[in-house]
């Protein structure tokens, strides 16, 4: 039957397609693991929240959603009255919300109707037990704490730090040879050219790089007079290709938007909106053009800024909005859909950009993107976005395989380039098991 087909393909790909073509459920762990060879992401290290059996592990809410507050009884008092009169500023946001609500409810209905999937969801966090697991857990528990890449900006020697890459090469007669390479870790494009995983050693920690992934890690500097972290966004220039056919066809951006949440400030530094105007998106584009995906929070002011200023300044024309609907392991929404400041969804704005010499030409080689797709998943760590790149590939212009980059990344993807101040963050070996 159709539903059992959907389930068996989900078990392989991590993507569950409902009958409703606008809704999809994904398991980020399964999707990501398809690009690893010798390692795999540990589901229990990915799913640190929203599995009820482990409530102590739930951490701070995501920006713009504050999802836990609605389910935390102590904070119930702060719940907004449902029929509060909205002020002039809130009204447009509410109208936007009212427009997407039926779509979100419909998508959520699909999930609640997929009983076979719901059964599996509760177990998504459990490891599939591998024979070598005990030994691996031992190894990884000894791994020291995470490095705060943000704090490294305080260390004057940091620009000189190296990373050691260990890659495994298959030789004849199934013999293996481990090759070692030492390269600068900051302000340098570090590339895993092999199809297999590379173990990268940095400051006594181990990081796993999936096949054909690259990262460009920048250092943030502390401006002591303002006590804020700044970087020279101009450093992105180093990724600008010399030739237009080396540019990117898919560009995902998840900027450190400023947010009222005090908690967020502790996790990573943020930047005022105007800084993002100077990102040289146009220069990063492949000459066949690109699809640009931008994660935004549910703030009307921000959405207006993107529509009226940011996309135009990047040369991006708006094409579609996708929504990421966040659910718990039992299939329920992470927060009430009706709460004004606690939305259980985030928005991904998508647009097309022409390449340098293609301004007049039509973009080609892709299925035009449709509006209002809903992607449902159980969130991972604070502010970590689900890996939606693969779902977008059919909408990417130009020759295949597409060249893909993520800006402000905290993780690596097979075949992608990741740029940011902490692209190795979720690559720490403590998030992985050995196959
Ligand atoms: N997409 C990521 C994920 O799924 O995990 C989350 C990205 S988070 C919203 C924004 C990132 O931008 C953080 O890693 C933050 O440290 C970084 N960042 C903050 N200020 C920055 C700056 N001035 N230059 C570059 N990156 C910066």
């Amino acid at each position: 039957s159709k539903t059992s087909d959907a389930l068996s393909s989900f078990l392989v790909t991590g993507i569950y397609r409902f009958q409703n073509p606008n809704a999809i459920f994904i398991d980020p762990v399964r999707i990501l693991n398809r690009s690893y060879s010798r390692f795999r992401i540990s589901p229990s290290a990915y799913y640190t929240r929203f599995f009820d059996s482990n409530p102590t592990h739930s951490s701070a809410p995501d920006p713009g959603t504050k999802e836990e507050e609605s389910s935390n009884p102590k904070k119930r008092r702060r719940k907004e009255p449902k029929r509060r009169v909205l002020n002039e500023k809130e009204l447009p946001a509410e109208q936007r919300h009212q427009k997407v609500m039926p779509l979100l409810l419909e998508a959520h209905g699909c999930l609640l109707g997929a009983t076979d999937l719901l059964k599996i969801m509760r177990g998504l966090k459990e490891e599939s037990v591998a024979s070598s697991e005990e030994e691996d857990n031992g190894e990884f528990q000894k791994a020291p704490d995470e490095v705060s890449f943000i704090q490294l900006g305080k260390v004057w020697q940091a620009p000189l730090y190296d990373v050691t890459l260990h890659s495994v090469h298959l030789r004849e007669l199934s013999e293996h040879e481990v090759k070692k390479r030492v390269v600068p870790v900051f302000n340098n494009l570090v590339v895993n050219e092999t199809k297999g995983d590379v173990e990268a050693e940095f400051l006594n920690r181990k990081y796993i790089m999936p096949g054909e992934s690259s990262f460009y890690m920048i250092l943030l500097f502390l401006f002591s007079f303002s006590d804020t972290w700044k970087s020279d966004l101009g450093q992105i220039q180093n990724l600008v290709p010399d030739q237009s056919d080396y540019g990117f066809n898919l560009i995902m951006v998840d900027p450190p938007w400023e947010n009222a949440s005090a908690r967020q400030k502790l996790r990573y530094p943020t930047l005022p909106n105007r800084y993002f105007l100077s990102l040289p998106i146009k220069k990063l584009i492949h000459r066949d053009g690109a699809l640009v995906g931008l994660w935004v929070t549910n703030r009307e002011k921000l959405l207006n800024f993107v529509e009226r200023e940011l996309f135009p300044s990047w040369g991006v024309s708006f094409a579609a909005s996708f929504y990421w609907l966040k659910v718990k392991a039992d299939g329920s929404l992470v927060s009430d859909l009706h709460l004004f400041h606690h939305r259980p969804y985030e928005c991904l704005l998508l647009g097309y950009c022409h390449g340098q010499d293609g301004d007049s030409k039509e973009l080609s080689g892709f299925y035009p993107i449709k509006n209002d797709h809903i992607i449902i998943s159980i969130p991972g760590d604070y502010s970590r976005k689900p890996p939606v790149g693969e779902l977008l590939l059919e909408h990417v212009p130009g020759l295949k395989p597409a060249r893909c980059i993520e800006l402000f990344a905290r993780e690596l993807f097979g075949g992608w380039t990741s740029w940011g101040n902490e692209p190795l963050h979720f690559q720490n070996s403590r998030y992985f098991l050995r196959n």
Side-chain angles (χ1 to χ4, degrees):
S1 72
K2 269 198 178 151
T3 60
S4 72
D5 283 354
L7 192 69
S8 36
S9 114
F10 169 75
L11 292 173
V12 178
T13 60
I15 300 170
Y16 189 102
R17 295 183 189 274
F18 300 107
Q19 306 257 29
N20 171 350
N22 294 327
I24 238 170
F25 175 85
I26 60 170
D27 170 19
V29 176
R30 279 191 165 76
I31 293 186
L32 293 171
N33 276 341
R34 282 163 49 206
S35 51
Y36 291 91
S37 51
R38 291 179 296 126
F39 295 88
R40 65 181 193 282
I41 292 175
S42 141
S44 64
Y46 187 93
Y47 290 120
T48 50
R49 309 183 291 161
F50 306 114
F51 279 78
D52 287 335
S53 58
N54 216 347
T56 50
H57 274 192
S58 47
S59 51
D62 282 349
T65 52
K66 303 181 184 169
E67 58 261 320
E68 265 98 355
E69 287 187 11
S70 59
S71 54
N72 182 342
K74 279 191 196 148
K75 293 190 179 156
R76 280 271 155 81
R77 274 176 291 129
R78 288 171 54 183
K79 209 166 169 176
E80 296 159 76
K82 276 205 181 129
R83 288 185 189 279
R84 188 163 67 84
V85 179
L86 298 173
N87 65 34
E88 229 172 274
K89 277 192 194 151
E90 292 167 334
L91 214 58
E94 185 56 25
Q95 280 161 356
R96 227 185 255 260
H97 173 65
Q98 290 299 335
K99 244 175 81 189
V100 296
M101 192 128 80
L103 303 165
L104 296 168
L105 286 172
E106 201 183 322
H108 191 225
C110 293
L111 176 68
L112 297 181
T115 43
D116 53 349
L117 175 61
L118 285 173
K119 259 187 239 155
I120 292 199
M121 274 172 69
R122 290 169 206 270
L124 282 185
K125 191 175 176 170
E126 268 129 57
E127 318 288 358
S128 54
V129 185
S131 53
S132 60
E133 198 179 27
E134 266 173 46
E135 171 203 326
D136 282 336
N137 279 342
E139 176 189 343
F140 292 146
Q141 267 155 25
K142 268 183 260 132
D145 312 345
E146 274 163 72
V147 171
S148 164
F149 291 101
I150 294 161
Q151 297 296 329
L152 278 180
K154 280 181 182 164
V155 184
W156 70 267
Q157 307 95 320
L160 308 171
Y161 285 166
D162 285 332
V163 60
T164 308
L165 308 177
H166 304 265
S167 52
V168 177
H169 299 262
L170 203 61
R171 295 221 312 221
E172 278 173 67
L173 302 168
S174 70
E175 246 182 70
H176 297 276
E177 181 193 11
V178 179
K179 283 194 188 150
K180 211 168 111 172
R181 206 153 50 91
V182 182
V183 294
V185 72
F186 290 108
N187 304 330
N188 179 30
L189 186 66
V190 180
V191 185
N192 170 8
E193 281 130 357
T194 72
K195 290 205 162 30
D197 302 342
V198 153
E199 288 170 60
E201 221 181 287
F202 172 58
L203 293 180
N204 291 323
R205 276 84 171 168
K206 204 162 84 183
Y207 298 88
I208 313 299
M209 290 184 75
E212 297 176 326
S213 64
S214 332
F215 69 86
Y216 193 100
M217 182 151 67
I218 62 160
L219 276 166
L220 296 192
F221 294 100
L222 186 66
F223 277 59
S224 46
F225 56 87
S226 58
D227 206 30
T228 52
W229 292 93
K230 291 277 150 53
S231 73
D232 174 10
L233 286 181
Q235 287 183 76
I236 224 169
Q237 292 285 354
N238 296 323
L239 287 180
V240 172
D242 326 335
Q243 289 158 324
S244 57
D245 50 340
Y246 286 115
F248 298 96
N249 306 106
L250 175 57
I251 302 181
M252 296 295 291
V253 197
D254 185 15
W257 301 118
E258 279 187 336
N259 192 283
S261 155
R263 276 209 198 106
Q264 187 195 358
K265 296 211 170 79
L266 300 174
R267 311 256 173 167
Y268 56 73
T270 57
L271 284 174
N273 291 352
R274 69 193 142 81
Y275 279 79
F276 305 115
L277 292 167
S278 61
L279 280 178
I281 298 293
K282 192 122 197 138
K283 291 189 186 154
L284 293 175
I285 304 274
H286 189 280
R287 68 151 171 249
D288 292 343
L291 177 65
V292 177
L294 176 72
W295 288 100
V296 289
T297 56
N298 289 313
R299 281 180 306 128
E300 199 56 20
K301 231 174 128 179
L302 179 61
L303 291 164
N304 287 333
F305 167 73
V306 172
E307 266 166 38
R308 292 177 199 159
E309 288 181 66
L310 193 60
F311 268 8
S313 80
W314 287 356
V316 171
S317 48
F318 173 82
S321 302
F322 278 23
Y323 297 91
W324 170 33
L325 186 64
K326 306 175 197 181
V327 295
K328 300 183 192 172
D330 64 4
S332 65
L333 301 177
V334 296
S335 64
D336 190 329
L337 200 50
H338 302 279
L339 293 176
F340 188 79
H341 289 293
H342 309 251
R343 307 289 197 217
Y345 64 90
E346 286 186 48
C347 182
L348 175 68
L349 299 178
L350 295 151
Y352 285 103
C353 188
H354 282 276
Q356 276 156 6
D357 52 15
D359 278 339
S360 49
K361 267 197 297 176
E362 281 283 293
L363 295 176
S364 62
F366 64 97
Y367 294 106
I369 206 157
K370 283 212 213 99
N371 211 9
D372 296 333
H373 266 285
I374 317 283
I375 298 159
I376 312 176
S377 77
I378 306 169
D381 228 315
Y382 172 82
S383 181
R384 189 173 187 177
K385 304 301 186 297
V388 296
E390 188 187 321
L391 302 174
L392 298 173
L393 283 180
E394 59 178 348
H395 306 297
V396 171
L399 295 175
K400 307 285 161 336
R403 293 177 40 88
C404 310
I405 188 169
E406 170 157 301
L407 305 181
F408 303 102
R410 290 191 300 179
E411 65 191 306
L412 309 181
F413 304 108
W416 285 55
T417 302
S418 296
W419 177 92
N421 70 315
E422 47 180 355
L424 291 181
H425 180 81
F426 290 119
Q427 303 306 127
N428 188 303
S429 62
R430 73 183 194 86
Y431 295 105
F432 290 84
L433 298 166
R434 201 185 280 273
N435 275 334

